[in-house]
Amino acid sequence: SAVISQKPSRDICQRGTSLTIQCQVDSQVTMMFWYRQQPGQSLTLIATANQGSEATYESGFVIDKFPISRPNLTFSTLTVSNMSPEDSSIYLCSGDSGGADTQYFGPGTRLTVL
Amino acid sequence: AQKVTQAQTEISVVEKEDVTLDCVYETRDTTYYLFWYKQPPSGELVFLIRRNSFDEQNEISGRYSWNFQKSTSSFNFTITASQVVDSAVYFCAPLDTGRRALTFGSGTRLQVQP
């Protein structure tokens, strides 16, 4: 199983600023995913990140708001841009090694926007 | 697209009771994959089980067991002799094999009282 770490683990940010979340996997994974979990809610997929191509965004999420990078097979970043209090959530990344492989998740980044 | 229903929002049991968490899914795929994850209060998502649609054998892992019924599109999860450490939110999640992303149910919060 892959071990995934995220930085930062939590942050408190001011409205209008941006935060970049890093996701590091201890082994190469084909696909990486970014999810958002709003307070008391389930997880919603933001986008899928493949190395060497642009991320694929789900309905309701746009690249200008959530730019994603995937420079190699073990690392990805998600930026939450121009933040508002509605962006206060846990952001989780995950990865799998292809096919219908199991997705393993990072510990999440708890973001609070004031 | 996959859909999943976890009708039980919250369940409270006393330690050592058995408890079953329900999961009903919808899919148009003939081959599909189903997952269960646990999210304890600390927030990380812990993988519990992956099941593919062509394997209908029930699975047991210690105190955990899963009942997969294709005829009723259900993939229920039973904890035997529950313990306080089982207190968590449990998510059922079918895999969208096209996008290779998980579709999470709304989750069931399990509270095990001592």
Side-chain angles (χ1 to χ4, degrees), chain A residues 30-31 33 35 37 40-45 48 58 90 92 96-108 110, chain B residues 6 33 35 37 39-47 49-50 89 91 95 97 99-107 109:
Chain A
T30 307
M31 307 281 283
F33 306 86
Y35 292 83
Q37 187 176 27
Q41 303 296 312
S42 185
L43 283 79
T44 301
L45 180 67
T48 303
E58 296 298 299
I90 300 175
L92 298 104
D96 75 31
S97 297
D101 194 20
T102 297
Q103 278 187 38
Y104 292 95
F105 283 79
R110 291 179 183 268
Chain B
Q6 293 183 258
Y33 300 84
F35 294 79
Y37 287 86
Q39 189 175 41
S42 53
E44 78 274 20
L45 237 67
V46 178
F47 164 72
I49 190 170
R50 170 183 177 269
V89 180
F91 292 99
L95 180 72
T97 50
R99 290 151 62 230
R100 286 172 50 190
L102 294 164
T103 301
F104 282 86
S106 53
R109 181 178 299 276

CSV table of all heavy atoms in Angstrom, one decimal, chain A residues 30-31 33 35 37 40-45 48 58 90 92 96-108 110, chain B residues 6 33 35 37 39-47 49-50 89 91 95 97 99-107 109:
chain,number,residue,atom,x,y,z
A,30,THR,N,0.0,6.0,-10.6
A,30,THR,CA,-0.4,6.5,-11.9
A,30,THR,C,-1.3,7.7,-11.8
A,30,THR,O,-1.1,8.7,-12.5
A,30,THR,CB,-1.1,5.4,-12.7
A,30,THR,OG1,-0.3,4.2,-12.7
A,30,THR,CG2,-1.5,5.8,-14.1
A,31,MET,N,-2.3,7.5,-11.0
A,31,MET,CA,-3.3,8.6,-10.8
A,31,MET,C,-3.2,9.2,-9.4
A,31,MET,O,-3.0,8.5,-8.4
A,31,MET,CB,-4.7,8.0,-11.0
A,31,MET,CG,-4.9,7.2,-12.3
A,31,MET,SD,-5.2,8.2,-13.7
A,31,MET,CE,-6.9,8.7,-13.4
A,33,PHE,N,-5.5,12.0,-7.0
A,33,PHE,CA,-6.9,12.7,-6.9
A,33,PHE,C,-6.9,13.7,-5.8
A,33,PHE,O,-6.2,13.4,-4.8
A,33,PHE,CB,-7.9,11.6,-6.7
A,33,PHE,CG,-7.9,10.5,-7.7
A,33,PHE,CD1,-7.1,9.4,-7.5
A,33,PHE,CD2,-8.8,10.5,-8.8
A,33,PHE,CE1,-7.1,8.3,-8.3
A,33,PHE,CE2,-8.8,9.4,-9.7
A,33,PHE,CZ,-7.9,8.3,-9.5
A,35,TYR,N,-9.7,15.6,-3.3
A,35,TYR,CA,-11.0,15.6,-2.8
A,35,TYR,C,-11.2,16.7,-1.8
A,35,TYR,O,-10.3,17.1,-1.1
A,35,TYR,CB,-11.4,14.3,-2.1
A,35,TYR,CG,-11.5,13.1,-3.0
A,35,TYR,CD1,-10.3,12.4,-3.3
A,35,TYR,CD2,-12.7,12.6,-3.4
A,35,TYR,CE1,-10.4,11.2,-4.1
A,35,TYR,CE2,-12.7,11.4,-4.2
A,35,TYR,CZ,-11.6,10.8,-4.6
A,35,TYR,OH,-11.7,9.6,-5.3
A,37,GLN,N,-13.7,17.8,1.5
A,37,GLN,CA,-14.7,17.4,2.5
A,37,GLN,C,-15.1,18.6,3.3
A,37,GLN,O,-14.4,19.0,4.2
A,37,GLN,CB,-14.2,16.3,3.4
A,37,GLN,CG,-15.2,15.7,4.3
A,37,GLN,CD,-14.7,14.5,5.1
A,37,GLN,OE1,-13.5,14.4,5.4
A,37,GLN,NE2,-15.6,13.6,5.5
A,40,GLY,N,-18.7,18.3,8.2
A,40,GLY,CA,-19.9,17.3,8.4
A,40,GLY,C,-20.4,16.7,7.1
A,40,GLY,O,-21.4,16.0,7.1
A,41,GLN,N,-19.7,16.8,6.0
A,41,GLN,CA,-20.1,16.2,4.7
A,41,GLN,C,-19.2,15.1,4.3
A,41,GLN,O,-18.2,14.7,4.9
A,41,GLN,CB,-20.1,17.4,3.7
A,41,GLN,CG,-20.9,18.6,4.0
A,41,GLN,CD,-22.4,18.3,4.1
A,41,GLN,OE1,-23.0,17.6,3.2
A,41,GLN,NE2,-23.0,18.7,5.2
A,42,SER,N,-19.7,14.5,3.2
A,42,SER,CA,-18.9,13.4,2.5
A,42,SER,C,-17.8,14.0,1.7
A,42,SER,O,-17.6,15.3,1.6
A,42,SER,CB,-19.8,12.6,1.7
A,42,SER,OG,-19.1,11.5,1.2
A,43,LEU,N,-17.1,13.2,1.0
A,43,LEU,CA,-16.0,13.6,0.1
A,43,LEU,C,-16.5,13.9,-1.3
A,43,LEU,O,-17.2,13.0,-1.8
A,43,LEU,CB,-14.9,12.6,0.1
A,43,LEU,CG,-13.9,12.5,1.3
A,43,LEU,CD1,-14.6,11.8,2.5
A,43,LEU,CD2,-12.6,11.9,0.9
A,44,THR,N,-16.0,14.9,-1.9
A,44,THR,CA,-16.3,15.3,-3.2
A,44,THR,C,-15.1,15.4,-4.0
A,44,THR,O,-14.1,16.1,-3.6
A,44,THR,CB,-17.1,16.6,-3.3
A,44,THR,OG1,-18.3,16.5,-2.5
A,44,THR,CG2,-17.5,17.0,-4.7
A,45,LEU,N,-15.0,14.8,-5.2
A,45,LEU,CA,-13.8,14.8,-6.0
A,45,LEU,C,-13.7,16.2,-6.7
A,45,LEU,O,-14.7,16.7,-7.3
A,45,LEU,CB,-13.9,13.8,-7.1
A,45,LEU,CG,-12.7,13.7,-8.1
A,45,LEU,CD1,-11.5,13.2,-7.4
A,45,LEU,CD2,-13.1,12.8,-9.3
A,48,THR,N,-8.8,15.1,-11.0
A,48,THR,CA,-7.8,14.0,-11.2
A,48,THR,C,-6.5,14.5,-11.9
A,48,THR,O,-6.6,15.3,-12.8
A,48,THR,CB,-8.4,12.9,-12.1
A,48,THR,OG1,-9.7,12.5,-11.6
A,48,THR,CG2,-7.5,11.7,-12.3
A,58,GLU,N,-13.8,18.2,-12.0
A,58,GLU,CA,-15.2,17.8,-11.9
A,58,GLU,C,-16.1,19.0,-12.1
A,58,GLU,O,-15.6,20.2,-11.9
A,58,GLU,CB,-15.5,17.1,-10.6
A,58,GLU,CG,-14.7,15.8,-10.4
A,58,GLU,CD,-15.1,14.8,-11.4
A,58,GLU,OE1,-16.3,14.4,-11.4
A,58,GLU,OE2,-14.2,14.3,-12.2
A,90,ILE,N,-11.7,20.2,4.7
A,90,ILE,CA,-10.5,19.3,4.7
A,90,ILE,C,-10.3,18.9,3.2
A,90,ILE,O,-11.2,18.5,2.5
A,90,ILE,CB,-10.8,18.0,5.5
A,90,ILE,CG1,-11.1,18.3,6.9
A,90,ILE,CG2,-9.6,17.1,5.4
A,90,ILE,CD1,-11.5,17.1,7.8
A,92,LEU,N,-8.2,16.4,0.8
A,92,LEU,CA,-7.5,15.2,0.8
A,92,LEU,C,-6.9,14.8,-0.5
A,92,LEU,O,-7.6,15.0,-1.5
A,92,LEU,CB,-8.4,14.0,1.4
A,92,LEU,CG,-8.9,14.2,2.8
A,92,LEU,CD1,-10.4,14.6,2.7
A,92,LEU,CD2,-8.8,12.9,3.5
A,96,ASP,N,-3.5,6.0,-6.8
A,96,ASP,CA,-3.6,4.6,-7.0
A,96,ASP,C,-2.6,4.2,-8.1
A,96,ASP,O,-2.1,5.1,-8.8
A,96,ASP,CB,-5.0,4.1,-7.4
A,96,ASP,CG,-5.5,4.5,-8.8
A,96,ASP,OD1,-4.7,4.6,-9.7
A,96,ASP,OD2,-6.7,4.8,-8.9
A,97,SER,N,-2.4,3.0,-8.3
A,97,SER,CA,-1.4,2.5,-9.2
A,97,SER,C,-2.0,2.0,-10.5
A,97,SER,O,-1.3,1.4,-11.3
A,97,SER,CB,-0.5,1.4,-8.6
A,97,SER,OG,0.1,2.0,-7.5
A,98,GLY,N,-3.2,2.3,-10.8
A,98,GLY,CA,-3.8,2.0,-12.1
A,98,GLY,C,-4.9,1.0,-12.0
A,98,GLY,O,-5.1,0.3,-11.0
A,99,GLY,N,-5.6,0.9,-13.1
A,99,GLY,CA,-6.8,-0.1,-13.1
A,99,GLY,C,-7.8,0.2,-12.1
A,99,GLY,O,-8.1,1.4,-11.8
A,100,ALA,N,-8.2,-0.8,-11.4
A,100,ALA,CA,-9.2,-0.6,-10.3
A,100,ALA,C,-8.5,-0.8,-8.9
A,100,ALA,O,-9.0,-1.3,-8.0
A,100,ALA,CB,-10.3,-1.6,-10.4
A,101,ASP,N,-7.2,-0.3,-8.9
A,101,ASP,CA,-6.4,-0.5,-7.7
A,101,ASP,C,-7.0,0.3,-6.6
A,101,ASP,O,-7.7,1.3,-6.8
A,101,ASP,CB,-5.0,0.0,-8.0
A,101,ASP,CG,-4.0,-0.5,-7.0
A,101,ASP,OD1,-4.3,-1.4,-6.2
A,101,ASP,OD2,-2.9,0.2,-6.9
A,102,THR,N,-6.6,-0.1,-5.4
A,102,THR,CA,-7.1,0.6,-4.2
A,102,THR,C,-6.5,2.0,-4.1
A,102,THR,O,-5.3,2.2,-4.4
A,102,THR,CB,-6.8,-0.1,-2.9
A,102,THR,OG1,-7.4,-1.4,-3.0
A,102,THR,CG2,-7.1,0.6,-1.7
A,103,GLN,N,-7.3,3.0,-3.8
A,103,GLN,CA,-6.9,4.4,-3.5
A,103,GLN,C,-6.5,4.5,-2.1
A,103,GLN,O,-7.3,4.2,-1.2
A,103,GLN,CB,-7.9,5.4,-3.9
A,103,GLN,CG,-8.0,5.7,-5.3
A,103,GLN,CD,-9.0,6.9,-5.6
A,103,GLN,OE1,-9.1,7.8,-4.8
A,103,GLN,NE2,-9.7,6.8,-6.7
A,104,TYR,N,-5.3,5.0,-1.8
A,104,TYR,CA,-4.9,5.3,-0.5
A,104,TYR,C,-4.9,6.8,-0.3
A,104,TYR,O,-4.5,7.5,-1.2
A,104,TYR,CB,-3.5,4.7,-0.2
A,104,TYR,CG,-3.6,3.2,-0.1
A,104,TYR,CD1,-3.3,2.4,-1.2
A,104,TYR,CD2,-4.0,2.5,1.0
A,104,TYR,CE1,-3.5,1.0,-1.2
A,104,TYR,CE2,-4.2,1.1,1.1
A,104,TYR,CZ,-3.9,0.4,0.0
A,104,TYR,OH,-4.0,-1.0,0.0
A,105,PHE,N,-5.2,7.2,0.9
A,105,PHE,CA,-5.4,8.7,1.1
A,105,PHE,C,-4.4,9.2,2.1
A,105,PHE,O,-3.8,8.6,3.0
A,105,PHE,CB,-6.8,8.9,1.8
A,105,PHE,CG,-7.9,8.8,0.8
A,105,PHE,CD1,-8.4,7.6,0.4
A,105,PHE,CD2,-8.5,10.0,0.2
A,105,PHE,CE1,-9.4,7.5,-0.6
A,105,PHE,CE2,-9.5,9.9,-0.7
A,105,PHE,CZ,-10.0,8.7,-1.1
A,106,GLY,N,-4.1,10.5,1.8
A,106,GLY,CA,-3.3,11.3,2.8
A,106,GLY,C,-4.1,11.6,4.0
A,106,GLY,O,-5.3,11.4,4.0
A,107,PRO,N,-3.4,12.2,5.0
A,107,PRO,CA,-4.1,12.5,6.3
A,107,PRO,C,-5.0,13.7,6.1
A,107,PRO,O,-5.8,14.0,7.1
A,107,PRO,CB,-3.0,12.8,7.2
A,107,PRO,CG,-1.8,13.2,6.3
A,107,PRO,CD,-2.0,12.5,5.1
A,108,GLY,N,-4.9,14.5,5.0
A,108,GLY,CA,-5.8,15.6,4.9
A,108,GLY,C,-5.2,16.9,5.4
A,108,GLY,O,-4.3,16.9,6.2
A,110,ARG,N,-6.5,20.5,6.9
A,110,ARG,CA,-7.7,21.2,7.4
A,110,ARG,C,-7.5,22.7,7.2
A,110,ARG,O,-6.6,23.3,7.8
A,110,ARG,CB,-7.9,20.9,8.9
A,110,ARG,CG,-8.3,19.5,9.2
A,110,ARG,CD,-8.4,19.3,10.7
A,110,ARG,NE,-8.8,17.9,11.0
A,110,ARG,CZ,-10.0,17.4,11.2
A,110,ARG,NH1,-11.0,18.3,11.1
A,110,ARG,NH2,-10.2,16.2,11.5
B,6,GLN,N,-26.2,5.5,1.6
B,6,GLN,CA,-26.0,5.0,3.0
B,6,GLN,C,-27.2,5.6,3.8
B,6,GLN,O,-27.0,6.8,4.2
B,6,GLN,CB,-24.7,5.4,3.5
B,6,GLN,CG,-23.5,4.7,2.7
B,6,GLN,CD,-22.2,5.1,3.3
B,6,GLN,OE1,-21.4,5.9,2.7
B,6,GLN,NE2,-21.8,4.4,4.4
B,33,TYR,N,-16.3,-2.1,-9.0
B,33,TYR,CA,-15.6,-2.3,-7.7
B,33,TYR,C,-16.2,-1.4,-6.6
B,33,TYR,O,-16.6,-0.3,-6.9
B,33,TYR,CB,-14.1,-1.9,-7.9
B,33,TYR,CG,-13.5,-2.7,-9.0
B,33,TYR,CD1,-13.6,-2.4,-10.4
B,33,TYR,CD2,-12.7,-3.8,-8.7
B,33,TYR,CE1,-13.0,-3.1,-11.4
B,33,TYR,CE2,-12.2,-4.6,-9.7
B,33,TYR,CZ,-12.3,-4.3,-11.0
B,33,TYR,OH,-11.7,-5.0,-12.0
B,35,PHE,N,-15.8,-0.2,-2.4
B,35,PHE,CA,-14.9,0.0,-1.3
B,35,PHE,C,-15.6,0.5,-0.1
B,35,PHE,O,-16.7,1.1,-0.1
B,35,PHE,CB,-13.8,1.1,-1.7
B,35,PHE,CG,-12.9,0.8,-2.8
B,35,PHE,CD1,-13.4,0.9,-4.1
B,35,PHE,CD2,-11.6,0.4,-2.6
B,35,PHE,CE1,-12.6,0.5,-5.2
B,35,PHE,CE2,-10.8,0.0,-3.7
B,35,PHE,CZ,-11.3,0.1,-5.0
B,37,TYR,N,-14.4,2.6,3.5
B,37,TYR,CA,-13.4,3.3,4.2
B,37,TYR,C,-13.9,3.8,5.6
B,37,TYR,O,-15.1,4.0,5.7
B,37,TYR,CB,-13.0,4.6,3.4
B,37,TYR,CG,-12.1,4.4,2.2
B,37,TYR,CD1,-12.7,4.1,1.0
B,37,TYR,CD2,-10.7,4.4,2.2
B,37,TYR,CE1,-12.0,3.9,-0.2
B,37,TYR,CE2,-10.0,4.2,1.1
B,37,TYR,CZ,-10.6,4.0,-0.1
B,37,TYR,OH,-9.9,3.8,-1.2
B,39,GLN,N,-13.3,6.6,8.7
B,39,GLN,CA,-12.8,7.9,9.0
B,39,GLN,C,-12.9,8.2,10.5
B,39,GLN,O,-14.0,8.6,10.9
B,39,GLN,CB,-13.4,9.1,8.2
B,39,GLN,CG,-12.7,10.4,8.3
B,39,GLN,CD,-13.2,11.5,7.4
B,39,GLN,OE1,-14.4,11.6,7.3
B,39,GLN,NE2,-12.4,12.3,6.9
B,40,PRO,N,-11.9,7.9,11.3
B,40,PRO,CA,-12.0,8.2,12.7
B,40,PRO,C,-12.0,9.7,13.0
B,40,PRO,O,-11.8,10.4,12.1
B,40,PRO,CB,-10.8,7.4,13.3
B,40,PRO,CG,-9.8,7.4,12.1
B,40,PRO,CD,-10.7,7.3,10.9
B,41,PRO,N,-12.2,10.0,14.3
B,41,PRO,CA,-12.2,11.5,14.6
B,41,PRO,C,-11.0,12.2,14.2
B,41,PRO,O,-11.0,13.4,13.9
B,41,PRO,CB,-12.4,11.5,16.1
B,41,PRO,CG,-13.1,10.2,16.4
B,41,PRO,CD,-12.6,9.2,15.4
B,42,SER,N,-9.8,11.6,14.0
B,42,SER,CA,-8.6,12.2,13.6
B,42,SER,C,-8.7,12.7,12.2
B,42,SER,O,-7.9,13.5,11.8
B,42,SER,CB,-7.4,11.3,13.8
B,42,SER,OG,-7.7,10.1,13.2
B,43,GLY,N,-9.6,12.1,11.4
B,43,GLY,CA,-9.8,12.7,10.0
B,43,GLY,C,-9.2,11.9,8.9
B,43,GLY,O,-9.7,12.1,7.7
B,44,GLU,N,-8.2,11.0,9.1
B,44,GLU,CA,-7.7,10.3,8.0
B,44,GLU,C,-8.6,9.3,7.5
B,44,GLU,O,-9.4,8.7,8.2
B,44,GLU,CB,-6.3,9.7,8.3
B,44,GLU,CG,-6.4,8.4,9.1
B,44,GLU,CD,-6.5,8.6,10.6
B,44,GLU,OE1,-6.9,9.7,11.0
B,44,GLU,OE2,-6.1,7.7,11.3
B,45,LEU,N,-8.5,8.9,6.2
B,45,LEU,CA,-9.4,7.9,5.6
B,45,LEU,C,-8.6,6.6,5.6
B,45,LEU,O,-7.5,6.5,5.1
B,45,LEU,CB,-9.8,8.3,4.2
B,45,LEU,CG,-11.2,8.3,3.9
B,45,LEU,CD1,-11.8,9.5,4.7
B,45,LEU,CD2,-11.5,8.5,2.5
B,46,VAL,N,-9.2,5.6,6.2
B,46,VAL,CA,-8.5,4.3,6.3
B,46,VAL,C,-9.2,3.3,5.4
B,46,VAL,O,-10.4,3.1,5.6
B,46,VAL,CB,-8.5,3.8,7.8
B,46,VAL,CG1,-7.9,2.4,7.9
B,46,VAL,CG2,-7.9,4.8,8.7
B,47,PHE,N,-8.5,2.7,4.5
B,47,PHE,CA,-9.1,1.7,3.6
B,47,PHE,C,-9.4,0.4,4.4
B,47,PHE,O,-8.6,-0.1,5.2
B,47,PHE,CB,-8.0,1.3,2.5
B,47,PHE,CG,-8.3,0.1,1.8
B,47,PHE,CD1,-9.3,0.0,0.9
B,47,PHE,CD2,-7.5,-1.1,2.0
B,47,PHE,CE1,-9.6,-1.2,0.2
B,47,PHE,CE2,-7.8,-2.2,1.3
B,47,PHE,CZ,-8.8,-2.3,0.4
B,49,ILE,N,-11.8,-2.4,2.8
B,49,ILE,CA,-12.0,-3.5,1.8
B,49,ILE,C,-12.3,-3.0,0.4
B,49,ILE,O,-12.8,-1.9,0.2
B,49,ILE,CB,-13.2,-4.4,2.3
B,49,ILE,CG1,-13.2,-5.7,1.5
B,49,ILE,CG2,-14.5,-3.7,2.2
B,49,ILE,CD1,-14.1,-6.8,2.0
B,50,ARG,N,-11.8,-3.8,-0.5
B,50,ARG,CA,-12.1,-3.6,-1.9
B,50,ARG,C,-12.8,-4.9,-2.4
B,50,ARG,O,-12.3,-6.0,-2.2
B,50,ARG,CB,-10.8,-3.4,-2.7
B,50,ARG,CG,-10.9,-3.4,-4.2
B,50,ARG,CD,-9.5,-3.2,-4.8
B,50,ARG,NE,-9.5,-3.3,-6.2
B,50,ARG,CZ,-9.3,-4.4,-6.9
B,50,ARG,NH1,-9.1,-5.5,-6.3
B,50,ARG,NH2,-9.2,-4.3,-8.2
B,89,VAL,N,-16.8,7.6,11.2
B,89,VAL,CA,-17.7,7.6,10.1
B,89,VAL,C,-17.2,6.6,9.1
B,89,VAL,O,-16.0,6.5,8.7
B,89,VAL,CB,-17.7,9.0,9.5
B,89,VAL,CG1,-18.7,9.1,8.3
B,89,VAL,CG2,-18.1,10.1,10.5
B,91,PHE,N,-17.6,5.1,5.2
B,91,PHE,CA,-18.1,5.4,3.9
B,91,PHE,C,-18.0,4.2,3.0
B,91,PHE,O,-17.0,3.5,2.9
B,91,PHE,CB,-17.2,6.5,3.3
B,91,PHE,CG,-17.2,7.8,3.9
B,91,PHE,CD1,-16.3,8.2,4.9
B,91,PHE,CD2,-18.3,8.7,3.6
B,91,PHE,CE1,-16.4,9.5,5.5
B,91,PHE,CE2,-18.4,10.0,4.2
B,91,PHE,CZ,-17.4,10.3,5.1
B,95,LEU,N,-16.3,2.5,-7.3
B,95,LEU,CA,-15.3,3.2,-8.2
B,95,LEU,C,-15.9,3.4,-9.5
B,95,LEU,O,-16.5,2.5,-10.2
B,95,LEU,CB,-14.1,2.2,-8.3
B,95,LEU,CG,-13.0,2.7,-9.2
B,95,LEU,CD1,-12.2,3.9,-8.5
B,95,LEU,CD2,-12.0,1.6,-9.5
B,97,THR,N,-15.2,3.4,-13.0
B,97,THR,CA,-14.0,2.8,-13.7
B,97,THR,C,-13.6,3.6,-14.8
B,97,THR,O,-12.5,3.5,-15.3
B,97,THR,CB,-14.4,1.4,-14.2
B,97,THR,OG1,-15.7,1.4,-14.9
B,97,THR,CG2,-14.5,0.4,-13.0
B,99,ARG,N,-13.5,7.2,-14.9
B,99,ARG,CA,-12.7,8.3,-14.3
B,99,ARG,C,-11.7,7.7,-13.3
B,99,ARG,O,-10.8,8.4,-12.9
B,99,ARG,CB,-13.6,9.3,-13.6
B,99,ARG,CG,-14.5,10.1,-14.6
B,99,ARG,CD,-15.8,10.5,-13.9
B,99,ARG,NE,-15.6,11.4,-12.8
B,99,ARG,CZ,-16.2,11.1,-11.6
B,99,ARG,NH1,-17.0,10.1,-11.5
B,99,ARG,NH2,-16.1,11.9,-10.6
B,100,ARG,N,-11.9,6.5,-12.9
B,100,ARG,CA,-11.1,5.9,-11.8
B,100,ARG,C,-11.1,6.7,-10.5
B,100,ARG,O,-10.2,6.7,-9.8
B,100,ARG,CB,-9.6,5.7,-12.3
B,100,ARG,CG,-9.6,4.5,-13.3
B,100,ARG,CD,-8.3,4.4,-14.0
B,100,ARG,NE,-7.1,4.4,-13.0
B,100,ARG,CZ,-5.9,4.4,-13.5
B,100,ARG,NH1,-5.6,4.5,-14.8
B,100,ARG,NH2,-4.9,4.5,-12.6
B,101,ALA,N,-12.3,7.3,-10.3
B,101,ALA,CA,-12.4,8.0,-9.1
B,101,ALA,C,-13.5,7.4,-8.2
B,101,ALA,O,-14.4,6.7,-8.8
B,101,ALA,CB,-12.8,9.5,-9.4
B,102,LEU,N,-13.5,7.6,-6.9
B,102,LEU,CA,-14.4,7.1,-6.0
B,102,LEU,C,-15.6,8.0,-5.9
B,102,LEU,O,-15.4,9.2,-5.8
B,102,LEU,CB,-13.8,6.8,-4.7
B,102,LEU,CG,-12.7,5.8,-4.6
B,102,LEU,CD1,-11.9,5.9,-3.3
B,102,LEU,CD2,-13.3,4.4,-4.7
B,103,THR,N,-16.8,7.4,-5.8
B,103,THR,CA,-18.0,8.2,-5.5
B,103,THR,C,-18.4,7.8,-4.1
B,103,THR,O,-18.8,6.7,-3.8
B,103,THR,CB,-19.2,7.8,-6.5
B,103,THR,OG1,-18.7,8.1,-7.8
B,103,THR,CG2,-20.4,8.6,-6.1
B,104,PHE,N,-18.3,8.8,-3.2
B,104,PHE,CA,-18.5,8.5,-1.8
B,104,PHE,C,-20.0,8.6,-1.4
B,104,PHE,O,-20.6,9.6,-1.8
B,104,PHE,CB,-17.7,9.4,-0.9
B,104,PHE,CG,-16.2,9.0,-0.8
B,104,PHE,CD1,-15.3,9.4,-1.8
B,104,PHE,CD2,-15.8,8.1,0.2
B,104,PHE,CE1,-14.0,9.0,-1.7
B,104,PHE,CE2,-14.5,7.7,0.3
B,104,PHE,CZ,-13.6,8.2,-0.7
B,105,GLY,N,-20.5,7.7,-0.6
B,105,GLY,CA,-21.8,7.9,0.0
B,105,GLY,C,-21.7,9.0,1.1
B,105,GLY,O,-20.6,9.5,1.4
B,106,SER,N,-22.9,9.2,1.7
B,106,SER,CA,-22.9,10.3,2.6
B,106,SER,C,-22.3,9.9,4.0
B,106,SER,O,-22.1,10.7,4.8
B,106,SER,CB,-24.4,10.7,2.9
B,106,SER,OG,-25.2,9.6,3.2
B,107,GLY,N,-22.0,8.6,4.1
B,107,GLY,CA,-21.4,8.1,5.3
B,107,GLY,C,-22.4,7.8,6.4
B,107,GLY,O,-23.5,8.3,6.5
B,109,ARG,N,-22.3,7.6,10.6
B,109,ARG,CA,-21.5,7.8,11.8
B,109,ARG,C,-21.8,6.8,12.9
B,109,ARG,O,-23.0,6.7,13.2
B,109,ARG,CB,-21.8,9.2,12.4
B,109,ARG,CG,-21.0,9.6,13.6
B,109,ARG,CD,-21.2,11.0,14.1
B,109,ARG,NE,-20.9,12.0,13.1
B,109,ARG,CZ,-19.6,12.4,12.9
B,109,ARG,NH1,-18.7,12.0,13.7
B,109,ARG,NH2,-19.4,13.3,12.0
